[in-house]
Amino acid sequence: MSERAGVQFYRKEIELTGAVRLGLDLLFLCTVFFQARGALLGEIFPFGPAAVVAVAGRRPRLLWPAVAIATTGAWFGNPGTIYTSAFLYLLLGVIFSIYPVLRKAGVLTQGTVAPAAVILVKGLSLTFSQPSFYGWVQIIFEALLSWGLSCAFLHAAVTSRHEERYLGVGLFLLGVLLGFQGLHLFDLSLQGTISRYIILLAALAGGPGAGAAAGAAVGFLPSLAQIVPPALAGLLAFAGLIAGSLKTMGKVGVVGGFLLAHLLLANYFLGQDNVLTALKEGVVVALALMMTPSTLINNIERYFAPPAIVPAGSSGYGRHEALKTALKGMARSLKFTGFAESPEVTVRQVAGATCRGCPAGKVCWELEGMQMLTLLQDLLQKGDHGTLTSADIPEWLASRCGRTRELLAALTHEAVKLKGLAAENALADWLANTFDTLASLITTGVEEGEAEEQRLKLVVGTATIPRYQADVCGDTFMSAKLEAEKQLLVLADGMGAGREAAEMSATTVELVRDLLAAGFPPDKTLQALNMILLLRATREAFTTCDVALINCCTGAAEFYKLGACPTFILRDGTVKTCGSPSLPAGILEEIRIEPVYEELQEGDLLVMVSDGVLEAHREINEKEKWLVKALQRAGEGRPQEIADRLLKQARALANGRPRDDMAIIVARIERIGV
């Protein structure tokens, strides 16, 4: 069961002008050129077909330019087989042009086109030239690799799981780097230079672990292209480790650590003849890193550093402390009106980047997580009015934290960047101060009572995707434990799309979680949420809210909806919908809340979706029917697999161009111990 108490964090929205989009298309086609040129052991070329299939499936308007570019890359990579390669890429282009339905098919179906074309074209070529057992083994091996790479590339473009996205992007970069094999500029190897630049970026963004991992990965590249000793991997891994260890000193520290490690070990690993060349490459990439914009490095750093996760039901986090946190959260929501991001989202990102690798991190974020979260949000609010100093750090944290300077600098930077607008509504300002005062008057108490025996658990899967040509998903979801026996699922959809919608929905799920954890009844929680959204909005803004509360002792479930889609329950092949008509939060002062009660059983599948999923079907009468049919075919699959499959089908119904953000929560009720 997922016990994440955090929200689905989002990335900054990127405004894509026509010129920027054209530049990205050209850059992507350049990568196809090097993919087609890249070879394993000098004679296996699986990356080119996989890249063309990925273009056909995800960016079909670039299909024929990609075919031409891949053919050119094959000619530069292996001129002896240019006719076979050209016919192979031409066949792939013709197949996807004649059968456009393939563009809407699943990843496995699309990926199978690559190995089929490789076996057909290269098999016929081998049959008419010099048939041999080794030749057929080579063709089959190349076909299998092209199939795996095609699936990885296609899946990385739509998956909501970071691990799968990292794998796909990593394999894609591997093919690009292999395409630079043998290319030189002023006696410098382009492959070696670019590889070292990637190591420095990883070390600066992710620290010693990321630097060492990047060094080990790119160090094995030459041994993939030809049979050579992989000794370079050890050198680059050590250099990345040393460079990442000096991350706190910025670019100068990372570059200095990398060059120092290079100088110490290059003579031992590479020999005297290659030391000078390796150091030249190191100097070139050092200069390139110094000229790299800080914006790019910050984005990569956030990509490497996921936010700290704090369990909502942590031991010792009692009802009184939860109530205090909820009041402070409501106060912050009103005081931070106009900020570009939710304060909780911001401090989690700061903590993820600053506290990574700290020996005291386990104590701070696992034992005192809620206390840390509250303190950092208070410091962020204080930083909005001036620079933070060491005097702002309480003694209990200053006594063990060795990174207070970096932490204060990061919070001050975020506070200035997310400069808040003063609350225009005097009532909102008064309520914020009142909530703060009430929170300060509450002392932590000891709760008594014997908890019931928990016999059920929830296994949760989630999937999300922004609308077409948007980089920020406006839908936010959460799965969290409120008490020993209560499980919360909440899904919010902010008005519109982009950063403002994401900020509004993130605030919604945070407030719902805090108020319910503090003991507020669900109806009072949603009424308070509605009023706070009305007060904090500087213009018309609203959000839907879909709440499910499941008692894991009895199976009793409560559903509360504010403008949200129905909830779907699959049991023994039959799908039941649960919903109630209501308006979103933040529109009217008085809202009607009508809960729906259900008794869940072991094996039931619970599905919550945002309206972008249902509206993927253009027919009004089919909006719910298609999802019901899809669930009936789901069978006994894992919740994460079902969530990914539903999202993939919704995206296909929208012709690969979702008109609205999409988010899905799938939860299966299981018996504990099974």
Side-chain angles (χ1 to χ4, degrees), residues 409-658:
L411 288 171
T412 302
H413 174 73
E414 291 295 331
V416 172
K417 186 172 64 174
L418 305 176
K419 190 68 175 176
L421 303 177
E424 298 177 1
N425 194 320
L427 177 59
D429 193 33
W430 175 80
L431 281 175
N433 292 329
T434 301
F435 289 148
D436 260 339
T437 303
L438 288 173
S440 64
L441 295 176
I442 296 176
T443 58
T444 303
V446 179
E447 299 182 6
E448 299 181 354
E450 184 177 352
E452 297 183 66
E453 181 181 358
Q454 183 176 337
R455 63 183 183 88
L456 300 173
K457 66 179 180 179
L458 265 67
V459 180
V460 181
T462 59
T464 182
I465 190 174
R467 73 175 183 180
Y468 181 64
Q469 291 187 340
D471 193 52
V472 179
C473 183
D475 300 344
T476 305
F477 56 78
M478 177 192 298
S479 171
K481 264 188 141 180
L482 297 180
E483 300 171 357
E485 74 280 1
K486 283 282 184 80
Q487 178 77 20
L488 167 69
L489 299 175
V490 58
L491 173 61
D493 180 359
M495 182 188 71
R499 185 176 56 210
E500 292 185 4
E503 187 272 337
M504 184 69 70
S505 61
T507 297
T508 297
V509 297
E510 291 165 11
L511 288 176
V512 169
R513 186 271 317 276
D514 288 343
L515 290 172
L516 289 175
F520 276 59
D523 57 340
K524 300 298 182 183
T525 294
L526 295 181
Q527 289 171 358
L529 167 69
N530 180 67
M531 185 59 66
I532 288 175
L533 292 181
L534 280 172
L535 291 173
R536 77 187 298 271
T538 56
R539 58 184 178 84
E540 181 182 352
F542 56 86
T543 179
T544 67
C545 186
D546 194 357
V547 177
L549 285 169
I550 297 96
N551 189 314
C552 294
C553 296
T554 64
E558 307 171 37
F559 301 100
Y560 299 85
K561 296 183 180 292
L562 294 180
C565 298
T567 298
F568 300 82
I569 301 175
L570 173 64
R571 178 185 299 169
D572 298 329
T574 302
V575 178
K576 180 178 181 180
T577 59
C578 302
S580 59
S582 59
L583 292 175
I587 296 181
L588 301 177
E589 293 185 9
E590 296 292 333
I591 59 174
R592 185 177 61 179
I593 300 173
E594 297 181 353
V596 177
Y597 301 96
E598 290 289 337
E599 293 292 331
L600 300 181
Q601 302 175 7
E602 178 185 354
D604 286 355
L605 194 70
L606 183 71
V607 179
M608 302 165 63
V609 299
S610 61
D611 57 2
V613 175
L614 295 184
E615 293 176 359
H617 203 295
R618 297 182 180 273
E619 295 294 332
I620 297 179
N621 296 329
E622 298 291 330
K623 290 185 182 300
E624 296 181 12
K625 291 181 179 179
W626 82 263
L627 186 58
V628 170
K629 294 178 181 178
L631 286 176
Q632 290 173 334
R633 295 192 299 267
E636 299 299 323
R638 293 185 303 167
Q640 186 58 55
E641 294 175 349
I642 296 174
D644 291 337
R645 194 182 311 154
L646 292 177
L647 184 65
K648 188 186 307 179
Q649 294 180 18
R651 191 174 184 273
L653 286 173
N655 296 322
R657 301 183 176 186

Side-chain angles (χ1 to χ4, degrees), residues 249-539:
M249 298 175 62
K251 292 181 179 179
V252 175
V254 170
V255 169
F258 182 81
L259 293 178
L260 177 61
H262 228 296
L263 183 63
L264 290 175
L265 295 183
N267 185 60
Y268 175 77
F269 276 96
L270 305 178
Q272 296 181 354
D273 296 338
N274 296 323
V275 169
L276 184 59
T277 301
L279 290 179
K280 285 181 180 178
E281 293 174 355
V283 171
V284 170
V285 298
L287 294 175
L289 184 71
M290 299 301 292
M291 294 185 293
T292 301
S294 299
T295 303
L296 174 62
I297 296 174
N298 291 336
N299 289 333
I300 297 176
E301 185 173 12
R302 290 193 175 188
Y303 201 67
F304 267 108
I309 302 300
V310 183
S314 300
S315 175
Y317 184 56
R319 179 66 56 83
H320 293 79
E321 188 66 26
L323 179 58
K324 178 188 289 189
T325 301
L327 290 172
K328 283 184 171 291
M330 290 190 291
R332 279 189 295 270
S333 296
L334 294 173
K335 291 180 179 179
F336 276 82
T337 302
F339 266 47
E341 290 185 282
S342 162
E344 181 172 346
V345 170
T346 301
V347 298
R348 287 185 186 276
Q349 291 173 340
V350 169
T354 307
C355 302
R356 173 178 287 270
C358 177
K362 189 175 183 66
V363 175
C364 293
W365 290 106
E366 293 188 16
L367 301 181
E368 300 176 353
M370 295 307 301
Q371 188 177 3
M372 281 291 297
L373 193 62
T374 302
L375 171 64
L376 294 187
Q377 291 185 81
D378 290 341
L379 291 176
L380 180 66
Q381 177 185 331
K382 188 174 183 180
D384 188 33
H385 305 289
T387 303
L388 297 171
T389 65
S390 57
D392 297 311
I393 300 291
E395 178 61 29
W396 61 267
L397 179 60
S399 61
R400 66 166 180 263
C401 181
R403 302 181 181 181
T404 55
R405 182 181 302 176
E406 293 87 345
L407 186 62
L408 291 175
L411 288 171
T412 302
H413 174 73
E414 291 295 331
V416 172
K417 186 172 64 174
L418 305 176
K419 190 68 175 176
L421 303 177
E424 298 177 1
N425 194 320
L427 177 59
D429 193 33
W430 175 80
L431 281 175
N433 292 329
T434 301
F435 289 148
D436 260 339
T437 303
L438 288 173
S440 64
L441 295 176
I442 296 176
T443 58
T444 303
V446 179
E447 299 182 6
E448 299 181 354
E450 184 177 352
E452 297 183 66
E453 181 181 358
Q454 183 176 337
R455 63 183 183 88
L456 300 173
K457 66 179 180 179
L458 265 67
V459 180
V460 181
T462 59
T464 182
I465 190 174
R467 73 175 183 180
Y468 181 64
Q469 291 187 340
D471 193 52
V472 179
C473 183
D475 300 344
T476 305
F477 56 78
M478 177 192 298
S479 171
K481 264 188 141 180
L482 297 180
E483 300 171 357
E485 74 280 1
K486 283 282 184 80
Q487 178 77 20
L488 167 69
L489 299 175
V490 58
L491 173 61
D493 180 359
M495 182 188 71
R499 185 176 56 210
E500 292 185 4
E503 187 272 337
M504 184 69 70
S505 61
T507 297
T508 297
V509 297
E510 291 165 11
L511 288 176
V512 169
R513 186 271 317 276
D514 288 343
L515 290 172
L516 289 175
F520 276 59
D523 57 340
K524 300 298 182 183
T525 294
L526 295 181
Q527 289 171 358
L529 167 69
N530 180 67
M531 185 59 66
I532 288 175
L533 292 181
L534 280 172
L535 291 173
R536 77 187 298 271
T538 56
R539 58 184 178 84

Side-chain angles (χ1 to χ4, degrees), residues 43-71:
E43 53 186 7
I44 301 176
F45 296 82
F47 291 94
V52 173
V53 169
V55 172
R58 297 292 176 254
R59 310 186 77 172
R61 61 188 179 85
L62 298 179
L63 174 59
W64 285 106
V67 168
I69 292 293
T71 303

